[in-house]
Amino acid sequence: MSGRAQLMWDEAVTGYDFGSGHPMDPVRLALTMRLVEAFELDRGPLEVVAAKPAGDSTLRLVHREDYIAAVRRASADPAAADLSYGLGTADDPAFAGMHEASALIAGQSVGAAEAVWRGDAAHAVNFAGGLHHGMPGGASGFCIYNDASLAIARLLELGAERVAYVDVDVHHGDGVQATFWEDPRVLTISLHEHPRTLFPQTGWPEETGGEGAEGTAANVALPAGTGDEGWLRAFHAVVPELLAAFRPQVIVTQHGADTHFEDPLAHLAVSLDAQRAVAEACHDLAHQHADGRWVALGGGGYAVVDVVPRSWTHLAAIAAGRPIDPASMVPEHWRHEVFRRTRQLAPHRMTDGRTPQWRDFVDDGYDPADRLDQAVLATRRAVFPSHGLLP
């Protein structure tokens, strides 16, 4: 296997644009790539690669043919958007070129999966991806085609027998879970804000997989307000043990940056520094359990200047084997670029100034009256016995 890391990037992914005022502002992608370049990660540590758009045969690995046709129609004429497919809604307004932009993002994630499986790269990152709400037959939650599901489906097509998907976006990874609900070859783990308080109102601990795939869906429903310590405690209380038991050949991770305390659409209180710590943990887990095969995707994140570019630049740097010291100053020319594009002031350092600490759930014990520990225990009780693990 090559020791190189690939960053999947085509400037045209910024054409995934729902229009002025929509939270999913594509400037977050452009600013992330410019920050990657400002740290010169593209000059050696990362091989920047543009994959081709996903064709219909690839899209059909996950999405229904009638849905793909509906996306094409809405893409050619946004006024023809069919609400029955979730197109033309406030969350997913139709726009010209929607099919092409969505298929291009999907193609980058599929290309990342192919590169990792074939050994062309040890790790591959597509921060434009992670559109985890897309359903086989409909759009949802700012997501048209589900690139994460497509990457996993392509890995299975190439011969993978066990793929693990770890989703740390603030929203439940419902589309990926639904796609592989009855497939025992895919383990989906999602840590997200509790469905009582956030879209898409799914991801309860009792959701553990369909018939023949019991225990292959794990959901940690975190209380609103959870910060660094609780978030990291929950991650380490669930993810490592399940991965060790499942023995994946590839790990696909989704790193939505909307867990951050500045994110306008959700209610967790996680710092950039904790997000970086989880990215490092995912990298380490890929080496421990999947021979280093790691596909890392972006996802949500709507603090498009202060949070998203720094979070995903850390992710890319970790994948490249050249992690950025959190104390590093943000390059000044990038800050000028931010102001030119957005008229907002950019952050000065690659940190929120936090040093995240967490207590181990097993070694340090748990508090049955603590809402975070109750959430973790509910997940462990629901899923761990299916893997021969003690809850």
Side-chain angles (χ1 to χ4, degrees):
M1 178 186 295
S2 167
R4 291 183 63 81
Q6 286 188 359
L7 176 63
M8 314 304 297
W9 178 254
D10 184 320
E11 203 75 30
V13 297
T14 59
Y16 191 81
D17 187 353
F18 290 113
S20 176
H22 193 283
M24 185 79 98
D25 188 337
V27 75
R28 70 199 192 118
L29 303 178
L31 290 179
T32 300
M33 190 61 194
R34 300 294 85 82
L35 189 55
V36 165
E37 293 165 348
F39 277 103
E40 299 186 350
L41 295 173
D42 59 322
R43 300 185 186 179
L46 282 172
E47 180 186 6
V48 179
V49 177
K52 64 183 181 180
D56 280 12
S57 62
T58 298
L59 294 173
R60 286 196 299 268
L61 292 174
V62 167
H63 293 290
R64 295 201 320 249
E65 195 161 357
D66 60 311
Y67 173 57
I68 299 168
V71 174
R72 283 186 175 277
R73 287 194 300 272
S75 183
D77 178 10
D82 189 336
L83 289 170
S84 68
Y85 290 103
L87 301 169
T89 64
D91 275 1
D92 297 283
F95 60 92
M98 179 172 63
H99 166 79
E100 289 76 13
S102 303
L104 182 62
I105 290 174
Q108 305 315 302
S109 292
V110 170
E114 292 173 342
V116 166
W117 182 253
R118 291 171 175 163
D120 297 334
H123 314 320
V125 178
N126 176 27
F127 57 73
L131 304 178
H132 59 169
H133 297 307
M135 292 291 175
S140 177
F142 313 162
C143 305
I144 307 301
Y145 295 137
N146 192 320
D147 63 284
S149 291
L150 287 162
I152 295 167
R154 179 63 174 141
L155 286 166
L156 298 175
E157 187 178 51
L158 290 170
E161 296 174 348
R162 294 179 308 281
V163 179
Y165 172 73
V166 180
D167 187 319
V168 297
D169 193 288
V170 78
H171 302 92
H172 177 225
D174 57 338
V176 185
Q177 176 179 289
T179 299
F180 301 105
W181 183 247
E182 296 180 340
D183 194 332
R185 298 173 297 173
V186 180
L187 171 68
T188 64
I189 308 173
S190 179
L191 285 83
H192 47 266
E193 185 179 329
H194 201 287
R196 269 196 296 264
T197 54
L198 195 66
F199 174 90
Q201 283 78 51
T202 58
W204 299 79
E206 296 80 13
E207 298 170 31
T208 59
E211 186 176 352
E214 295 84 357
T216 59
N219 289 290
V220 188
L222 301 167
T226 297
D228 289 358
E229 181 181 355
W231 195 61
L232 293 170
R233 178 173 169 82
F235 179 93
H236 288 284
V238 172
V239 178
E241 286 183 76
L242 285 179
L243 292 182
F246 189 68
R247 298 179 299 110
Q249 295 161 296
V250 189
I251 295 177
V252 179
T253 57
Q254 197 268 21
H255 297 266
D258 43 9
T259 52
H260 195 272
F261 55 77
E262 287 187 12
D263 197 89
L265 299 190
H267 318 98
L268 294 192
V270 173
S271 72
L272 178 76
D273 303 286
Q275 292 176 344
R276 180 181 181 276
V278 159
E280 287 188 322
C282 290
H283 171 252
D284 293 345
L285 288 165
H287 281 283
Q288 290 172 31
H289 302 298
D291 294 326
R293 296 188 190 93
W294 182 33
V295 177
L297 308 175
Y302 308 101
V304 300
V305 168
D306 284 350
V307 178
V308 174
R310 292 187 297 161
S311 186
W312 292 347
T313 298
H314 275 305
L315 175 66
I318 290 163
R322 204 179 89 185
I324 297 168
D325 184 340
S328 299
M329 298 301 292
V330 173
E332 187 174 1
H333 64 278
W334 182 79
R335 294 177 56 241
H336 289 311
E337 176 72 1
V338 167
F339 188 77
R340 185 186 71 81
R341 284 176 177 255
T342 68
R343 290 299 184 261
Q344 295 183 47
L345 297 177
H348 286 260
R349 293 195 302 156
M350 292 295 288
T351 178
D352 286 332
R354 308 287 179 85
T355 305
Q357 304 288 331
W358 54 276
R359 295 177 301 110
D360 187 88
F361 187 84
V362 175
D363 292 345
D364 295 343
Y366 64 91
D367 179 356
D370 182 83
R371 291 172 63 221
L372 186 282
D373 284 2
Q374 289 170 359
V376 169
L377 193 59
T379 302
R380 290 174 62 103
R381 284 174 171 164
V383 177
F384 274 37
S386 297
H387 298 270
L389 301 170
L390 294 174

